[in-house]
Amino acid sequence: MNILVTGGAGFIGSHTLIELYQAGHTAVVVDNLSNSNPVALKRVAEILSIPAIPFYHVDIRDREGLEKVFAEHKFDACIHFAGLKAVGESVEKPWEYYENNIGGTLTLVDVMRMHGCKNIIFSSSATVYGDPAEIPITENCPKGQCTNPYGWTKSMLEQVLMDIQKADPGWNVVLLRYFNPVGAHPSGRIGENPNGIPNNLMPYITQVAVGKRKELGVFGNDYDTPDGTGVRDYIHVVDLAKAHVAALQCFSSKFQVPSSKSQPSTLNLKPSTIYNIGTGHGYSVLDMVKAFVRVNGADVPYSIKPRRAGDIATCYCNPAKAKAELGWEAKHGIDDMVRDSWNWQRNNPEGYPEP
Ligand code: NAD
Ligand code: UFG
């Protein structure tokens, strides 16, 4: 298939490009580079030994810019990563988050349908479950109250896309709810490159280990978890990238749901739209720190800080649906995750160079 990858210069998008090409697909990237660096795309092409990844420096809110891309390419599907994702920033700048994420997606989807491309995989998040009603979280778990505008953009966009599919059965919408992506491509050439002080645990750990930050603050050790620190479902970004390739099969007219209890197994079935993408294992903050130190032999000083507003104690999924219906499951364990995160950070202490 030829895939439009919005946000393809970003962390998850760049890794997904590699898996797409290695599975025989081609891709065109649209990114406004608001949170990424085009060097990532150069390195993706190097890893793949191809001259370049077709790239448009276009904002998905720019209708004319998107029209030009669609005039020059025919797409079978879109994998839609583009969006702002910093939880804390979204609390400070809610308008910017709703306008970028929701406004951008509405424009994108409109241009897609004008050009007859009605297959979309959307980057959703475990955040839509709020404080989850059940652990491990299945796709049947009700959506919850998000604690920040970023989370609400994901929750609202899920609804927007499902309503569009309901109104026009020509659409095929797949919502992938990611748990906590970490790690990097094993080459160490691409990885997570946060701007400023990292919000997320793993880039914070790697920046402490490389000497850029003094110590990790562990946000709370009085949660109702085995060691008191927050538990999450960390997933290697390469496994997450492969989940997108697996999800493309939903767009084939032969897509079959092999063993779902919720839907009969018949040919030409409309794809069931929602998949949890995690490993099914929960690790605490201290589990991650200890694994990082054990596997990499690096030092990660930490101290216990107060809880972070909006955090929940435990969040991990049951990924059985993705395995049963897409034949996808995570293959990398915690040691691979901490090794590859460190390999990227060590080789690129300042992230990507200026283009
Ligand atoms: P990222 O910031 O590295 O990538 C997002 C990309 O989108 C960036 O390259 C950015 O420049 C681009 N972008 C943003 N707004 C744009 C716009 N208006 N037009 C064009 N490009 C735009 O983030 P990521 O970690 O790769 O996340 C990818 C997607 O997955 C996002 O939608 C994010 O919300 C979602 N997600 C991420 C996580 C996570 O922990 N990383 C978890 C759940 C869901
Ligand atoms: N943590 C620390 N110190 C830090 C950073 C994080 O102790 O410096 C702890 C948090 O309190 C939490 C765990 O590490 O217990 C994970 O925190 P992250 O910020 O890495 O991840 P979250 O689970 O809070 O959220 C992430 C993304 C969201 C996404 C969610 C589910 O930031 O966008 O995963 O996919 F929605």
Side-chain angles (χ1 to χ4, degrees), residues 6-14 30-37 58-61 80-85 100-101 104 122-127 150 154 176-181 192-193 200 240:
T6 73
F11 172 45
I12 304 171
S14 55
V30 164
D31 200 305
N32 68 358
L33 303 180
S34 59
N35 196 40
S36 51
N37 184 318
V58 163
D59 192 299
I60 56 165
R61 293 166 295 176
H80 177 29
F81 295 109
L84 299 175
K85 64 159 187 177
N100 189 78
N101 292 4
F122 175 62
S123 298
S124 190
S125 166
T127 198
Y150 163 72
K154 294 294 173 194
L176 299 185
R177 291 179 176 162
Y178 312 157
F179 281 67
N180 289 55
E192 193 170 6
N193 190 29
N200 296 116
L240 175 58

Side-chain angles (χ1 to χ4, degrees), residues 85 87 125-127 150 178-181 198-202 204 216-220 223 229-232 234 285 308 311-313 315:
K85 64 159 187 177
V87 170
S125 166
T127 198
Y150 163 72
Y178 312 157
F179 281 67
N180 289 55
N199 295 302
N200 296 116
L201 178 65
M202 186 52 79
Y204 210 107
L216 170 74
V218 174
F219 298 145
Y223 285 105
T229 66
V231 167
R232 296 290 182 274
Y234 296 95
V285 176
R308 182 172 67 177
D311 274 357
I312 55 176
C315 179

Side-chain angles (χ1 to χ4, degrees), residues 66-345:
L66 284 180
E67 286 286 356
K68 186 167 175 280
V69 179
F70 275 84
E72 291 176 10
H73 301 272
K74 186 159 171 35
F75 296 114
D76 301 295
C78 171
I79 304 182
H80 177 29
F81 295 109
L84 299 175
K85 64 159 187 177
V87 170
E89 185 184 62
S90 79
V91 178
E92 307 296 322
K93 299 180 176 173
W95 187 87
E96 283 76 2
Y97 270 67
Y98 288 115
E99 198 265 341
N100 189 78
N101 292 4
I102 296 189
T105 303
L106 291 177
T107 303
L108 170 71
V109 161
D110 196 30
V111 175
M112 284 176 67
R113 65 179 174 178
M114 298 295 181
H115 291 266
C117 175
K118 295 184 176 180
N119 294 326
I120 188 166
I121 296 174
F122 175 62
S123 298
S124 190
S125 166
T127 198
V128 303
Y129 293 112
D131 196 350
E134 61 181 38
I135 296 281
I137 304 170
T138 69
E139 291 80 356
N140 293 327
C141 179
K143 283 167 75 172
Q145 294 296 310
C146 299
T147 52
N148 56 75
Y150 163 72
W152 282 119
T153 68
K154 294 294 173 194
S155 191
M156 290 176 186
L157 282 170
E158 284 198 350
Q159 191 64 45
V160 167
L161 292 171
M162 286 193 292
D163 285 345
I164 287 172
Q165 173 167 277
K166 204 166 150 194
D168 175 357
W171 276 94
N172 292 306
V173 173
V174 179
L175 309 175
L176 299 185
R177 291 179 176 162
Y178 312 157
F179 281 67
N180 289 55
V182 296
H185 190 263
S187 64
R189 298 288 290 155
I190 60 169
E192 193 170 6
N193 190 29
N195 280 330
I197 302 172
N199 295 302
N200 296 116
L201 178 65
M202 186 52 79
Y204 210 107
I205 291 178
T206 61
Q207 291 198 7
V208 170
V210 86
K212 281 179 85 173
R213 312 211 173 263
K214 206 167 124 267
E215 64 170 17
L216 170 74
V218 174
F219 298 145
N221 67 348
D222 56 353
Y223 285 105
D224 184 15
T225 61
D227 65 16
T229 66
V231 167
R232 296 290 182 274
D233 190 334
Y234 296 95
I235 175 168
H236 196 294
V237 65
V238 170
D239 281 329
L240 175 58
K242 287 179 195 284
H244 295 79
V245 179
L248 287 175
Q249 69 191 282
C250 296
F251 304 143
S252 154
S253 59
K254 293 197 178 65
F255 180 64
Q256 212 178 346
V257 178
S259 61
S260 167
K261 292 191 181 100
S262 55
Q263 298 188 70
S265 175
T266 49
L267 279 174
N268 300 329
L269 199 68
K270 263 287 175 202
S272 46
T273 50
I274 302 176
Y275 295 100
N276 285 338
I277 305 296
T279 64
H281 300 289
Y283 290 109
S284 74
V285 176
L286 294 181
D287 288 336
M288 295 305 280
V289 173
K290 285 176 191 157
F292 191 93
V293 170
R294 173 175 52 77
V295 170
N296 298 320
D299 202 20
V300 183
Y302 66 84
S303 67
I304 307 298
K305 302 278 187 224
R307 290 182 178 194
R308 182 172 67 177
D311 274 357
I312 55 176
T314 303
C315 179
Y316 62 93
C317 78
N318 176 343
K321 187 173 180 232
K323 184 173 182 191
E325 299 186 6
L326 304 178
W328 171 89
E329 65 182 326
K331 299 272 196 255
H332 294 81
I334 186 173
D335 288 9
D336 304 315
M337 299 183 209
V338 296
R339 183 197 61 229
D340 291 338
S341 295
W342 179 228
N343 189 34
W344 153 252
Q345 180 75 73

